Amino acid sequence: HLVEPLQFLDTQPSATILTDRYTADNVAIATKDDVIFTEYTGHLLISDDEYADRFCASEMYSVQPPPIRTLIPVTELHLRVLRKQETEANYEAYVKRMEDHCTQVRRDTRAALEKYHVDYVLWNEKMRPDWRLSTRDLHKVSSGSGWSLWAVITR
């Protein structure tokens, strides 16, 4: 169901797309565009804080709390706790830092859009029906069966 928006994006000048982490894989594979976050973001040479910010930006439109404990670095850290290579306290502190980042990003979604120079938000409505986008910062440019594409309003 994402063929149409991916084809549309591929006809546009190169852009930065914000979408959920699973849809981002499709965007990264099928277009020339950049994405804010995928499961592979942990392989970039970025700080833990930037990793957290990018993840939180990719989840900022969800009404549900971000699934922090499902992230690969977080589950790997938990495995180290289970193997007695890391303390439970350090694990919980890391999760808390991630939660704090997400709270900050959700308070000011406009700042996250600007920080990462987002041009479009691709909403995979089939996968993420719980998202609530801000029409204050975005306007719909295209939509189809189970998806919509929103341009960031420049200020």
Side-chain angles (χ1 to χ4, degrees):
H1 78 278
L2 295 174
V3 171
E4 287 179 70
L6 296 176
Q7 287 175 339
F8 172 82
L9 288 170
D10 217 28
T11 66
Q12 303 300 305
S14 185
T16 301
I17 314 300
L18 185 143
T19 190
D20 64 89
R21 62 182 161 164
Y22 305 109
T23 305
D25 289 339
N26 291 304
V27 173
I29 291 167
T31 73
K32 61 190 170 305
D33 299 309
D34 293 324
V35 292
I36 300 301
F37 185 87
T38 72
E39 290 294 341
Y40 303 104
T41 302
H43 298 291
L44 299 175
L45 294 175
I46 59 175
S47 68
D48 287 348
D49 287 342
E50 184 174 348
Y51 178 87
D53 284 343
R54 286 175 173 271
F55 167 72
C56 295
S58 77
E59 291 290 328
M60 69 186 181
Y61 294 118
S62 176
V63 296
Q64 302 298 321
I68 291 167
R69 293 176 192 267
T70 66
L71 291 170
I72 291 170
V74 178
T75 58
E76 287 174 346
L77 182 59
H78 190 252
L79 285 173
R80 289 196 299 271
V81 171
L82 296 174
R83 293 181 191 127
K84 309 290 188 219
Q85 298 167 326
E86 187 62 72
T87 67
E88 185 74 28
N90 284 347
Y91 169 74
E92 291 300 332
Y94 184 81
V95 171
K96 174 78 168 98
R97 276 196 320 275
M98 293 280 295
E99 289 169 344
D100 291 347
H101 276 281
C102 288
T103 298
Q104 177 91 15
V105 168
R106 291 166 77 108
R107 278 192 192 128
D108 189 359
T109 58
R110 181 72 195 186
L113 294 171
E114 291 174 355
K115 179 177 184 175
Y116 294 108
H117 310 285
V118 174
D119 300 298
Y120 295 102
V121 174
L122 176 57
W123 179 12
N124 186 340
E125 297 168 7
K126 281 187 178 179
M127 182 175 277
R128 301 306 304 268
D130 65 318
W131 275 26
R132 299 295 176 263
L133 276 60
S134 167
T135 55
R136 179 187 55 163
D137 296 324
L138 307 168
H139 69 92
K140 190 184 292 187
V141 294
S142 188
S143 64
S145 178
W147 62 272
S148 55
L149 185 66
W150 301 72
V152 176
I153 298 169
T154 55
R155 297 191 180 170

